[in-house]
Amino acid sequence: MRGRFVVTLERLLRGTRVYFSDIGIIALMLALGFTILTIVIAVVGAVRELPQAVLSAKRAVLVVAGFLVVAAAALVASFLTHDFGVKYVAEQSSLSMPWYFTSAAFYGGQEGSLLYWALMLGIFSAIFVFTSWRAPAKLVPYVLATLMFIEGFFLIVLVTVSNPFVRTLNPPQDGNGLNPLLMDPGMLVHPPMLLMGYMSFAMPFAFAVAALISGELKNDWLRSIRRWTLASWTIQTGGLLLGSWWAYHVLGWGGYWGWDPVENAALLPWLTSTAFLHSTMVQERRGMLKVWNMCLVIASFALSIFGTFEVRSGIISSVHSFAYSDIGGYFFAFLAVIILFSIGLFFFRLPKLKAEQEFDSVVSREGVFLLNNLMLLGITFATLWGTLFPLISQTIRKQTMTVGAPFYNSVNGPLFAVLILAMGVGPLLAWRRTSLNALWRNLSVPAILAAICAVILPLLGVTNVLANIGFSVCAFTGMAILYELWRGARVRHAHGEPYVKAVYMLFKRYRQRYGGYIVHLGLVFLALGVVGSHFFQIQKDVTLKSGQEAELGGYRFVYLGNLQSYGDDQQSVTSQMQIWQNGSLLSYIYPGRTMYKNFDDQPASQISISTFGLTDLYVFLGDWQGPSQATIRIFVNPLVPLVWWGGMLMLLGGVLCWWPEARKRVVYGRRSTSLPKTSALVEDKGVVA
């Protein structure tokens, strides 16, 4: 690598041709150098209390971010100019690919995705530099050093074993092309969102490490990372939602979540960060769960590194894994360093993490928050165990034993049901303890609605007991959220505000509280979609000739024949079909398959998904014989649209919680300052008795 660096410099000095890849490798090596420099300067500035050194470290972080932007731009330029002399470009793109897929190939493989990870960490670190005035001064240099330590690991991997700018001596005339499963619009948004979500958990982790090193373990560090954690949670939620949508529209198996190992890996840090966001309120309000919160922050980042490793190492077989390499040892070593270093710091500062108060009653808001955390950690453990079990079985018994969806559904299903129930109960309880009268007054309306739902559903044909329980739990929690919103609006209406304005002011003044309710309501909608599609999905495989038809779920599917088309590097077959119901033509649909050059064994599916009301008709072309016969797989998926609506509500709620509070100017003589309109303490005051 040093030789490549020297050769590139000689080209620059002689004025001979310099490739974008040459600029990229120089930028990566300079970024690595400044990363090491930042760590040294930041630590010296913290230990010797030198403000100028800390300022220099901040500037060095900006330089690192700048070089990473240059490196990323150089890789994108290599793709857009079709520089197949770059091995990574030749492997991930081809001349026939449209420019947007060519650009997206930047993160289509291992090398590019690791560069994207490092790039986003550099950008987030730069954002922290510009907003560091909000953080306690003693934490800032340690946060910078921690972020650059993480950045340094990725840069070392990038300039040694996983370099995206390696050139070949005999470049091909055309590239191999992108994996067909990634030739989808979802490719443009799903992978970068998910990788950004993994990366973003480095920010709360850096604050936790800084607090442990400096000994500043009061609530200031928690307040400093609240918005960073909310941003991480929202980004990861978006990544999970987009991943589900991609799987539903591309893979052709009729579902959106199959408990695939890579799906599980993305879910794990989301679960622990969700637990942290809830338990941190208990620490800020009551001074409790300090040890618990520190463990959750560390676990979230460790699981994000595990997820990044699993997606790009290929150590566990998955339809979501598109890169296989030998970087596993590096990631295991890094993960081990992170865990051992964090555990050492944790036990060193354990005496300072003692709780300030104890639980007064189980029937309290903090009691429900603790139950919420236990359910989330239970789901995390079960999911992690199921994900790692094939590796464990291979190591111990020398044979690979997989864990399927039935295990996850039977274990995590009841835990999620209790979790959703706790979401409805928690906001209606008071801190410390709730009297029986207040408990009945706050829970009676949602409980009565849930009971009515449980009685009516069997009369409407829902005979599955588990589905009935799921719908009733969702009814209870949904009503509890709406009831709490109505009570807040009623209080403001009693002071003269119209109801519409009262609701608007609740969200404006208490954004985190009511944004959280939107998240909970979105999860209720999502859960309704999951229950409906899981218990009531119906499927049928049929082989039809032109003019023949099939019926399923009250819909009639008429097959009209196949059309074939050919391109420069692909060929496609499309089946023409009609959907009828009650004698009326609803729509024409065109399920199909596309075969790409160099990927004959991986045809991409063009799945037809037609939504009528709250039901998806999902049609997949399995096989075909000539122009007049096809094997079709049909799914009727009830309530699946609620999954996407619920996910969008969760994202909206996450953004509302994260969005900065409006600030007002307070003037003191000739000086002025900006203060939040509402404090966390005021925000937490609800109308719960």
Side-chain angles (χ1 to χ4, degrees):
M1 193 57 62
R2 178 177 174 274
R4 174 75 183 283
F5 182 77
V6 172
V7 169
T8 303
L9 287 179
E10 289 178 351
R11 286 179 183 170
L12 286 171
L13 293 174
R14 294 176 181 175
T16 56
R17 181 179 181 183
V18 176
Y19 297 97
F20 285 114
S21 59
D22 296 324
I23 298 173
I25 188 58
I26 290 176
L28 283 181
M29 296 189 73
L30 290 174
L32 177 58
F34 274 93
T35 296
I36 297 172
L37 179 65
T38 304
I39 297 172
V40 175
I41 296 176
V43 172
V44 171
V47 173
R48 297 188 178 182
E49 298 182 356
L50 299 174
Q52 290 301 318
V54 176
L55 180 60
S56 296
K58 291 181 180 179
R59 292 171 177 170
V61 168
L62 298 181
V63 173
V64 171
F67 280 127
L68 284 168
V69 170
V70 171
L75 185 57
V76 172
S78 297
F79 271 106
L80 293 178
T81 57
H82 301 296
D83 183 3
F84 298 125
V86 178
K87 182 180 177 183
Y88 181 69
V89 173
E91 290 174 345
Q92 301 297 327
S93 67
S94 64
L95 292 172
S96 61
M97 286 170 52
W99 68 268
Y100 43 88
F101 283 136
T102 301
S103 299
F106 168 76
Y107 42 76
Q110 174 188 283
E111 293 88 345
S113 63
L114 293 180
L115 176 56
Y116 177 82
W117 211 106
L119 168 68
M120 296 313 302
L121 181 58
I123 292 174
F124 271 56
S125 300
I127 294 173
F128 169 72
V129 168
F130 289 117
T131 60
S132 59
W133 57 271
R134 296 175 178 173
K138 287 188 177 181
L139 299 185
V140 172
Y142 294 114
V143 172
L144 295 174
T146 304
L147 291 174
M148 290 301 100
F149 174 77
I150 300 167
E151 188 76 89
F153 164 75
F154 279 89
L155 286 171
I156 289 173
V157 171
L158 283 167
V159 300
T160 55
V161 295
S162 190
N163 183 4
F165 298 108
V166 170
R167 299 192 65 85
T168 60
L169 295 177
N170 300 306
Q173 294 298 314
D174 196 0
N176 192 50
L178 195 62
N179 188 301
L181 292 178
L182 301 179
M183 298 284 282
D184 181 84
M187 168 64 179
L188 304 178
V189 287
H190 161 49
M193 182 69 74
L194 198 57
L195 287 170
M196 192 193 308
Y198 283 140
M199 176 282 309
S200 62
F201 289 109
M203 302 303 298
F205 173 77
F207 274 93
V209 169
L212 288 170
I213 293 175
S214 64
E216 298 291 322
L217 292 168
K218 295 182 180 180
N219 289 343
D220 289 345
W221 77 276
L222 279 178
R223 285 189 284 269
S224 297
I225 68 170
R226 172 67 64 82
R227 286 183 60 206
W228 286 109
T229 309
L230 285 169
S232 301
W233 182 92
T234 304
I235 294 169
Q236 191 73 358
T237 301
L240 289 168
L241 183 64
L242 288 168
S244 299
W245 178 84
W246 174 83
Y248 191 60
H249 285 76
V250 172
L251 297 184
W253 59 283
Y256 44 82
W257 189 269
W259 296 106
D260 180 87
V262 171
E263 293 175 346
N264 295 347
L267 180 65
L268 294 173
W270 184 90
L271 291 167
T272 52
S273 62
T274 302
F276 172 75
L277 285 171
H278 287 80
S279 61
T280 188
M281 290 186 282
V282 178
Q283 179 173 340
E284 290 190 44
R285 180 68 182 242
R286 300 290 312 280
M288 303 159 58
L289 302 181
K290 293 183 178 181
V291 171
W292 187 267
N293 285 328
M294 189 62 70
C295 292
L296 287 175
V297 174
I298 295 171
S300 295
F301 179 65
L303 290 171
S304 72
I305 293 297
F306 170 75
T308 305
F309 158 67
E310 185 181 331
V311 170
R312 291 304 174 187
S313 69
I315 190 172
I316 299 177
S317 177
S318 166
V319 295
H320 300 268
S321 293
F322 302 108
Y324 300 87
S325 72
D326 55 356
I327 66 170
Y330 291 86
F331 267 89
F332 271 126
F334 181 64
L335 187 58
V337 170
I338 290 293
I339 293 175
L340 292 176
F341 179 72
S342 301
I343 291 176
L345 277 178
F346 172 77
F347 281 106
F348 177 68
R349 295 297 187 185
L350 188 59
K352 287 193 173 185
L353 294 173
K354 291 182 179 179
E356 299 171 14
Q357 301 183 52
E358 296 182 356
F359 278 100
D360 295 310
S361 173
V362 175
V363 187
S364 61
R365 189 175 298 187
E366 56 265 44
V368 174
F369 280 175
L370 182 57
L371 175 63
N372 168 296
N373 270 226
L374 292 174
M375 294 301 103
L376 287 167
L377 266 293
I379 297 168
T380 302
F381 176 78
T383 305
L384 181 61
W385 171 256
T387 303
L388 293 177
F389 186 76
L391 290 178
I392 296 172
S393 64
Q394 176 63 33
T395 302
I396 297 177
R397 304 186 62 180
K398 305 303 179 183
Q399 62 182 39
T400 302
M401 301 176 65
T402 59
V403 175
F407 165 80
Y408 297 105
N409 293 334
S410 60
V411 174
N412 290 341
L415 295 178
F416 269 117
V418 176
L419 176 65
I420 293 173
L421 188 65
M423 280 171 26
V425 173
L428 299 178
L429 301 184
W431 292 100
R432 294 183 180 274
R433 60 170 51 87
T434 303
S435 66
L436 292 178
N437 289 335
L439 184 66
W440 170 248
R441 184 172 64 251
N442 296 336
L443 299 181
S444 57
V445 173
I448 291 172
L449 178 65
I452 294 174
C453 181
V455 172
I456 290 179
L457 284 176
L459 301 178
L460 298 177
V462 182
T463 57
N464 188 293
V465 175
L466 295 179
N468 195 335
I469 293 174
F471 285 136
S472 299
V473 167
C474 291
F476 172 86
T477 299
M479 185 61 201
I481 295 168
L482 296 176
Y483 183 54
E484 176 69 1
L485 179 61
W486 175 77
R487 293 202 304 170
R490 185 183 62 180
V491 170
R492 300 190 69 89
H493 178 71
H495 290 80
E497 289 183 356
Y499 275 107
V500 174
K501 183 179 180 181
V503 173
Y504 170 76
M505 291 304 296
L506 285 175
F507 282 95
K508 183 179 180 180
R509 293 180 61 86
Y510 311 115
R511 190 167 292 154
Q512 287 192 5
R513 180 186 180 93
Y514 286 92
Y517 289 161
I518 294 296
V519 172
H520 289 178
L521 192 61
L523 187 56
V524 168
F525 275 96
L526 190 149
L528 286 171
V530 170
V531 172
S533 58
H534 176 74
F535 288 104
F536 303 109
Q537 180 191 66
I538 53 177
Q539 171 189 343
K540 188 175 186 179
D541 291 353
V542 292
T543 298
L544 302 174
K545 294 184 178 180
S546 296
Q548 292 183 333
E549 60 186 50
E551 292 191 5
L552 186 66
Y555 298 92
R556 187 160 55 93
F557 301 83
V558 180
Y559 170 69
L560 303 177
N562 299 328
L563 293 176
Q564 291 187 328
S565 60
Y566 300 89
D568 293 336
D569 66 339
Q570 66 184 55
Q571 66 178 74
S572 300
V573 58
T574 302
S575 294
Q576 301 179 85
M577 301 183 70
Q578 296 173 332
I579 301 177
W580 294 74
Q581 185 183 41
N582 298 326
S584 299
L585 176 63
L586 298 181
S587 70
Y588 282 84
I589 59 174
Y590 304 93
R593 304 288 287 276
T594 301
M595 286 66 67
Y596 292 89
K597 183 179 68 174
N598 301 325
F599 294 94
D600 294 336
D601 59 337
Q602 292 180 295
S605 300
Q606 282 74 55
I607 299 162
S608 169
I609 302 175
S610 306
T611 302
F612 301 103
L614 294 178
T615 299
D616 277 354
L617 303 184
Y618 186 104
V619 182
F620 169 75
L621 174 61
D623 197 6
W624 64 95
Q625 293 81 36
S628 59
Q629 182 172 319
T631 299
I632 306 293
R633 176 169 294 176
I634 304 171
F635 297 87
V636 176
N637 293 335
L639 303 187
V640 167
L642 292 181
V643 173
W644 317 125
W645 296 355
M648 294 303 295
L649 274 179
M650 292 175 68
L651 287 176
L652 174 62
V655 172
L656 284 174
C657 291
W658 171 85
W659 201 263
E661 296 284 349
R663 307 177 78 85
K664 61 182 180 180
R665 306 293 295 182
V666 181
V667 180
Y668 299 97
R670 294 185 177 180
R671 300 179 62 187
S672 66
T673 186
S674 296
L675 296 175
K677 294 181 66 176
T678 56
S679 67
L681 181 60
V682 173
E683 181 178 320
D684 198 52
K685 291 180 180 178
V687 295
V688 179

